Amino acid sequence: MKIKFKVLASIALVAVSILTLGSCTADADSPGLEYMPDMYRSPAIEVYVDYGEVRGTEIKDMKNRLSALVPPMGTVPYYGTDSATVSLMLPYFRKANIAFKQTHGMYGADLTMVDEYALAIADKNPLRLNAENSEAMFKQGKELYTAMCQHCHGEKGDGNGPMVGSGAYAGVPNYTERSVKSDGQLFYSIYYGLNTMGGHGSILNKKQIWTLVHYVRRFQNADYGKFDATGLAVVSAVAADTSKVTK
Amino acid sequence: MFIYLRNWCFSALTFVFLAGTFTAQAQGDALFKAKCASCHQPHKNGTGPKLFKVRQKWADEGAKDGSIYQWVNNWQNAAATDPYAKKVSTWAPSAMQAFPELKKEDVDAILDWVDAQPEPGAAGADGAAGAAGDATTDSLATEEESSMGWVWLLMGVIFFIIIIAVGGVRRQLKFAAADDAGEEVNEGLTYSEEFRTWAWKYRLYVGLATLVIVMSAIVTLFLRGYAIGVVEEYQPSQPIAFPHAIHTGTNGIDCKYCHNSVTTSKSAGLPTVNVCMNCHKQVNGRTPEQQEQIAKVYKAAGWDPAGAGKYTGKSSPIVWNKVHVLPDHVYFNHSQHVVVGGIDCKQCHGDMTKMSETAKVQPVSELNKIEGNIVLTRPTLTMGWCIECHGEKEISTGAIDTRNDGYYNEIHKRLLNNDKTLYGNYLKDGKVTVSELGGWECAKCHY
């Protein structure tokens, strides 16, 4: 009887030690041991951290329910106190067409029955190119284009980006073959989207979009935005050809 | 002679005919790309419906003869005269552009070319299936590894039980043998008393073994202690199995397209679902596994992919799990490192173009393998790691001028004005590191 109990006891000991060892296996879902967890999980709010449970207390109202939101419609980024820049960053005054509700989402946006895309043909690019700022503008445009547009539209704007090359995406137009659009319509298309292309107004601010409008013009005319020694533009601004506007 | 001439004529005619077909095809290809491709695809619905065998479809479903050509020239005229065309016009809210310049032959050339396009399923799925296959083998391998661990543990338990059982039997037999021989049996001797006698008998070996066990216990304790606060290999499960390799590797999307606040903000930012939908409106996955994951994006965006697809307005948020967790008392700013420091994402996040799983904290040994990275020794996301890099990294060209708002200009000015010997010391090794311009000051990161 005594021996039997000892066998049982040793088996229990073995079982406990195996369970302890077993708990050491690596779990990719666990961040590992923390030194002073209260310093890691402080109640001060940090982005993307779930505060549903802090210091062992569960707070249902603080539970992380979503990760990313677009800024509310009409949000103006802080851009200093220079009035020219500030007025440039004011919300875009053209509204998306009512049809965009089904094709482009546009949750929470003001929609209109008017074809504002057609009206946008009259809009002028508020960023004026001159001999001093042109080079910097195109340098910045290239950076933006590389990050935001190139994967579809291609490095040369020919619609052969890596996404098209890999066969994932189709139907990207070639800027160089397209009939010339007005600056305002280019802006409208980048901001709200066009056909399959989605709107980029949530990830690019207005200054960045107008910079891109300048940048893509150079795909249509290699001399666009270049200035000669006397400071005169080599080509005057690409004229908006109203007869050949493609949608 | 005559037969020869006839044959020659015949082959020449065949050639002309074939060449004609060929040029018509090429013309169709060019016209399709120029006029149709931004909205239509041969085999997939997009802004416009798919065009594969569309003439036959119209004929089968009772469209008037020739109304499809009228439709291309001006869809409103066609819709006015043909009830079927009227029905087609309700397919999507966006109206088709009019192409009055396309003649019947042109439309036929386009649609002939479209009908000749093979279904992409067979060829296209290969690459994606390969990638998905790799991921499956990976997860299988890790599963096998962990199940192997349990096999060893189980075998250990079995052997331990056998040893105990055999020991017990041996003891019983010893008592029985002693009993048989008529010797006095000391049944009062317990296991522990017996063990103590045995241990004293072999005290040299027992002592050595104890020393080894104690030493390894101490070493283990220290190693476990050093692992506190190290989050290498942390890879929380995510709501959507997001393959970075396909997005940034195969499709060449810049990191900044999705993580677009990285140049302006403390946080690199997760993309909102409308950014996902900029591509996924069209890209719905080639394999069933991919389609299942992308369906989650559609659910989040409130997008109904049936037919032309439309936004329903019933969206549901995605909750991602944070991967790179820093203690709350550490301040880290992405834009400072990316814009002023000019550091590439892969210095800290590894080569995401090859990462087919969801994001994880890369161990420093993996980061060191990447070309162009500063080689570091301390574990990722520890203070030692930060400090080491601040000591190694030269400040980027442009950080001391006006291009990046001259972040270090002030410190540079003070060094020039006050103590030239200090500046001289900094320049002795030919480079100015971040730590020399204040990168090791406590209050840079802790405040």
Side-chain angles (χ1 to χ4, degrees), chain B residues 62-240:
Chain B
K64 278 189 191 158
D65 216 21
S67 84
I68 192 165
Y69 304 107
Q70 200 186 357
W71 173 279
V72 177
N73 289 342
N74 187 342
W75 68 271
Q76 277 157 324
N77 292 349
T81 52
D82 185 2
Y84 180 76
K86 179 101 184 122
K87 203 183 104 202
V88 172
S89 67
T90 58
W91 190 82
S94 48
M96 182 169 146
Q97 197 192 327
F99 295 94
E101 70 277 21
L102 289 180
K103 296 184 195 71
K104 185 172 181 295
E105 304 89 79
D106 298 330
V107 177
D108 273 332
I110 293 170
L111 293 176
D112 281 340
W113 178 83
V114 167
D115 291 352
Q117 296 310 300
E119 188 88 38
D126 269 359
D134 284 351
T136 343
T137 14
D138 275 359
S139 65
L140 272 182
T142 44
E143 216 163 86
E144 203 166 290
E145 214 166 86
S146 62
S147 68
M148 280 303 283
W150 280 106
V151 166
W152 286 114
L153 278 174
L154 198 71
M155 285 192 37
V157 175
I158 290 167
F159 277 118
F160 193 77
I161 291 170
I162 289 172
I163 289 166
I164 300 268
V166 168
V169 169
R170 192 180 138 268
R171 200 171 133 100
Q172 295 294 327
L173 282 174
K174 208 169 86 185
F175 290 151
D179 204 20
D180 257 7
E183 288 167 25
E184 194 199 335
V185 182
N186 187 3
E187 285 225 39
L189 208 63
T190 60
Y191 271 105
S192 62
E193 281 162 341
E194 214 174 62
F195 174 75
R196 253 178 272 162
T197 9
W198 173 84
W200 184 249
K201 197 169 157 194
Y202 301 103
R203 51 185 175 278
L204 177 67
Y205 300 107
V206 172
L208 278 175
T210 316
L211 190 72
V212 169
I213 289 168
V214 169
M215 291 293 282
S216 48
I218 291 171
V219 169
T220 315
L221 194 71
F222 267 81
L223 285 179
R224 300 279 292 172
Y226 280 131
I228 294 174
V230 173
V231 286
E232 282 187 345
E233 305 279 5
Y234 178 44
Q235 186 177 30
S237 46
Q238 302 289 3
I240 296 171

Side-chain angles (χ1 to χ4, degrees), chain B residues 16-31:
Chain B
V16 168
F17 178 73
L18 278 177
T21 334
F22 187 73
T23 42
Q25 283 264 332
Q27 196 198 353
D29 184 6
L31 275 172

Side-chain angles (χ1 to χ4, degrees), chain B residues 218-433:
Chain B
I218 291 171
V219 169
T220 315
L221 194 71
F222 267 81
L223 285 179
R224 300 279 292 172
Y226 280 131
I228 294 174
V230 173
V231 286
E232 282 187 345
E233 305 279 5
Y234 178 44
Q235 186 177 30
S237 46
Q238 302 289 3
I240 296 171
F242 179 87
H244 274 96
I246 293 177
H247 289 82
T248 184
T250 318
N251 290 322
I253 301 173
D254 197 285
C255 308
K256 290 194 276 289
Y257 185 71
C258 299
H259 303 288
N260 49 61
S261 64
V262 75
T263 49
T264 50
S265 162
K266 175 175 183 284
S267 151
L270 288 171
T272 49
V273 74
N274 65 320
V275 179
C276 310
M277 288 302 289
N278 280 353
C279 299
H280 280 294
K281 218 163 100 178
Q282 190 190 99
V283 183
N284 53 9
R286 283 166 175 158
T287 64
E289 293 82 17
Q290 291 176 341
Q291 280 160 5
E292 188 192 323
Q293 297 300 325
I294 294 168
K296 292 183 194 169
V297 178
Y298 290 161
K299 188 167 171 283
W303 170 258
D304 174 13
K310 63 168 197 273
Y311 282 97
T312 59
K314 293 187 200 93
S315 58
S316 63
I318 307 172
V319 182
W320 297 99
N321 290 312
K322 192 173 170 116
V323 178
H324 298 87
V325 188
L326 279 179
D328 190 60
H329 57 266
V330 183
Y331 177 80
F332 176 83
N333 189 322
H334 270 98
S335 67
Q336 173 71 7
H337 287 81
V338 173
V339 179
V340 178
I343 299 210
D344 201 300
C345 310
K346 62 181 194 274
Q347 172 69 45
C348 306
H349 296 286
D351 191 355
M352 296 311 282
T353 60
K354 295 193 180 70
M355 178 104 187
S356 57
E357 319 147 68
T358 53
K360 76 168 184 185
V361 182
Q362 298 280 350
V364 76
S365 53
E366 289 294 316
L367 296 177
N368 287 346
K369 284 181 198 159
I370 294 162
E371 208 187 313
N373 271 11
I374 298 167
V375 175
L376 304 169
T377 57
R378 301 301 177 130
T380 317
L381 291 182
T382 57
M383 181 171 160
W385 183 66
C386 299
I387 289 293
E388 206 179 357
C389 196
H390 280 192
E392 294 275 328
K393 174 88 175 100
E394 284 182 69
I395 63 158
S396 61
T397 48
I400 302 194
D401 62 21
T402 49
R403 266 199 292 157
N404 289 313
D405 298 330
Y407 180 80
Y408 288 115
N409 276 359
E410 179 60 27
I411 302 168
H412 189 230
K413 206 169 71 192
R414 281 187 226 169
L415 278 172
L416 286 177
N417 289 348
N418 296 343
D419 193 350
K420 289 252 171 59
T421 53
L422 188 63
Y423 201 11
N425 287 342
Y426 289 166
L427 287 172
K428 255 181 196 160
D429 54 357
K431 61 177 191 177
V432 179
T433 63

Side-chain angles (χ1 to χ4, degrees), chain A residues 3 14 18 28-29 31 33 39 42 46 48 65-67 69 102-103 105 107 148 166-167 170-171 196 198 200 202-203, chain B residues 37-38 47 157 160 172 229 235-237 251 257 260 266 270 272 274 278 281-282 286 301 311 317-320 328:
Chain A
I3 289 168
V14 170
I18 283 169
D29 252 334
L33 284 176
M39 292 172 89
S42 121
E46 278 277 325
Y48 307 130
R65 288 196 182 82
L66 77 172
S67 287
L69 269 178
Q102 278 189 20
T103 57
Y107 297 136
M148 297 290 163
S166 77
T196 313
H200 288 68
S202 74
I203 55 175
Chain B
S38 59
T47 308
V157 175
F160 193 77
Q172 295 294 327
Q235 186 177 30
S237 46
N251 290 322
Y257 185 71
N260 49 61
K266 175 175 183 284
L270 288 171
T272 49
N274 65 320
N278 280 353
K281 218 163 100 178
Q282 190 190 99
R286 283 166 175 158
Y311 282 97
I318 307 172
V319 182
W320 297 99
D328 190 60

